[in-house]
Amino acid sequence: MFSELAVAYLFFGGAGAGSCVVLGILECANIGRYGASTGSWLAGKRRPRPVLRLRKRLRVPHELLSRGWTLCLVLLVTGSLCLVADAGRPERVISLWLSPRFTVMTVGAWALLASSVLAAFFSFVSNGAGARLPLFVVLAAAIAAVIAGVATAIYTGVLLTLLPSVIAFGTWLVPALFCLSSLSCGVAVAFGTASFVDSRVPFNAALRCLSRVDRAIIVAEMVALALFVASLLTDARTEAGGRALLAGDEAIMFWVVLVLAGLVAPFILEIRYLSGDRRTKGLWIAFCVLLGGAALRVCVTGLAAFDISQSPELAMQMAFAAAGG
């Protein structure tokens, strides 16, 4: 039911959206990196101690954000191109931005466009143009990036719930799973980028904070995934899909790639991230999380093949079983 391009859009769009959220938060905490020439809009304002403490913990080098935004833009553009290619005609996607109707799809299309534009903005200002911008403009753009990224991440999951023909997608757990996975992928992009940053400015505190946040996200994703599979098994119409994930055709993708490599492995690696070779661990964490994010989307979209609404054979079997009972 879903083409490879559609699954690729869900992955690249979600990973790019999560990166937009994480980098937007880091931009807010590192707003001073644009220098004093940007103005003193916040210079004379007294900030609460928790805010100052959080800003200090999330301080990262300029190179991390600069390279991170470039990678975020590449992910979002790749996802958009996959969406356009899957639609077959570019005007179908463009019509969503021009449509006067307020629908979930138009909101998602605008959120994706806004995330891409803001990622391009920060990629540009990170290369020297930011020194000529007022501080409040950069701060407003960073906050907008967080909002647009969250909206895009949620939309990649809501897009599946808009397909009423697939019963397995008709639950709030699908958008929740996709949103959590996107945020974790965003942290993974930060870890991967940090592995290529050489800086004299210590930023271990920020990486430690990100690892704690990502571990919390992974735990929440595990819980949501368990609830989602349980909901599949408790409904006769989706039971075949749940069994396929646990012990059927999708079991290897589910248990080995998604659960073990995509969730358990990065959780363990992040516990002792700062000990040993931080660069190598950061790359492994990024690889495992992104691999798990792709596997999640493959597993969820693959449920359509086992859904009773999409399989006449399953419908006939249930009908015969009901008649025999």
Side-chain angles (χ1 to χ4, degrees), residues 72-93:
C72 173
L73 178 61
V74 170
L75 291 171
L76 290 169
V77 171
T78 303
S80 301
L81 292 176
C82 290
L83 179 62
V84 172
D86 184 62
R89 292 185 299 178
E91 59 269 19
R92 292 181 179 179
V93 180

Side-chain angles (χ1 to χ4, degrees), residues 79-132:
S80 301
L81 292 176
C82 290
L83 179 62
V84 172
D86 184 62
R89 292 185 299 178
E91 59 269 19
R92 292 181 179 179
V93 180
I94 295 175
S95 64
L96 294 175
W97 295 320
L98 302 178
S99 175
R101 298 176 57 188
F102 185 81
T103 64
V104 175
M105 294 193 69
T106 56
V107 172
W110 277 105
L112 177 61
L113 179 62
S115 299
S116 302
V117 170
L118 289 166
F121 168 79
F122 279 109
S123 298
F124 177 72
V125 300
S126 295
N127 291 311
R132 296 185 295 271

Side-chain angles (χ1 to χ4, degrees), residues 33-74:
R33 75 187 183 104
Y34 293 98
S37 59
T38 56
S40 56
W41 183 62
L42 292 176
K45 295 183 179 295
R46 299 181 61 184
R47 296 185 280 287
R49 289 186 177 181
V51 175
L52 294 174
R53 194 179 301 117
L54 181 62
R55 285 190 59 187
K56 185 176 181 180
R57 289 180 179 177
L58 292 179
R59 190 170 300 165
V60 295
H62 174 87
E63 292 82 0
L64 191 154
L65 290 170
S66 177
R67 298 174 185 178
W69 280 116
T70 301
L71 182 55
C72 173
L73 178 61
V74 170

Side-chain angles (χ1 to χ4, degrees), residues 84-322:
V84 172
D86 184 62
R89 292 185 299 178
E91 59 269 19
R92 292 181 179 179
V93 180
I94 295 175
S95 64
L96 294 175
W97 295 320
L98 302 178
S99 175
R101 298 176 57 188
F102 185 81
T103 64
V104 175
M105 294 193 69
T106 56
V107 172
W110 277 105
L112 177 61
L113 179 62
S115 299
S116 302
V117 170
L118 289 166
F121 168 79
F122 279 109
S123 298
F124 177 72
V125 300
S126 295
N127 291 311
R132 296 185 295 271
L133 289 175
L135 196 61
F136 74 90
V137 172
V138 179
L139 182 61
I143 296 174
V146 174
I147 297 173
V150 170
T152 304
I154 295 175
Y155 171 70
T156 56
V158 171
L159 186 62
L160 296 184
T161 65
L162 297 178
L163 302 173
S165 59
V166 183
I167 301 172
F169 297 161
T171 171
W172 62 270
L173 289 170
V174 173
L177 271 172
F178 277 38
C179 184
L180 290 170
S181 175
S182 297
L183 294 176
S184 186
C185 287
V187 177
V189 168
F191 275 124
T193 306
S195 298
F196 295 97
V197 171
D198 289 317
S199 176
R200 296 180 181 179
V201 180
F203 57 104
N204 289 341
L207 297 176
R208 188 182 299 110
C209 185
L210 286 177
S211 66
R212 290 174 180 171
V213 171
D214 193 42
R215 275 179 281 162
I217 294 173
I218 289 175
V219 170
E221 189 176 349
M222 287 180 177
V223 173
L225 184 62
L227 292 174
F228 179 62
V229 174
S231 68
L232 295 176
L233 295 174
T234 54
D235 192 330
R237 300 170 298 175
T238 58
E239 184 180 2
R243 294 186 181 278
L245 289 178
L246 297 181
D249 297 340
E250 304 293 327
I252 295 179
M253 178 67 71
F254 179 79
W255 288 112
V256 178
V257 184
L258 173 55
V259 176
L260 292 180
L263 296 174
V264 176
F267 184 88
I268 295 175
L269 287 172
E270 287 175 357
I271 292 177
R272 300 186 60 80
Y273 170 66
L274 295 177
S275 63
D277 190 349
R278 177 172 55 83
R279 294 178 182 274
T280 302
K281 283 186 179 180
L283 290 175
W284 274 111
I285 290 171
F287 173 76
C288 290
V289 171
L290 293 173
L291 181 65
L296 173 67
R297 286 149 182 84
V298 170
C299 288
V300 173
T301 55
L303 290 173
F306 302 95
D307 201 287
I308 188 174
S309 61
Q310 305 297 317
S311 178
E313 294 80 5
L314 289 175
M316 292 297 294
Q317 291 176 10
M318 289 191 63
F320 282 125

Side-chain angles (χ1 to χ4, degrees), residues 21-42:
V21 175
V22 173
L23 294 173
I25 294 174
L26 291 178
E27 283 287 355
C28 292
N30 293 268
I31 197 70
R33 75 187 183 104
Y34 293 98
S37 59
T38 56
S40 56
W41 183 62
L42 292 176

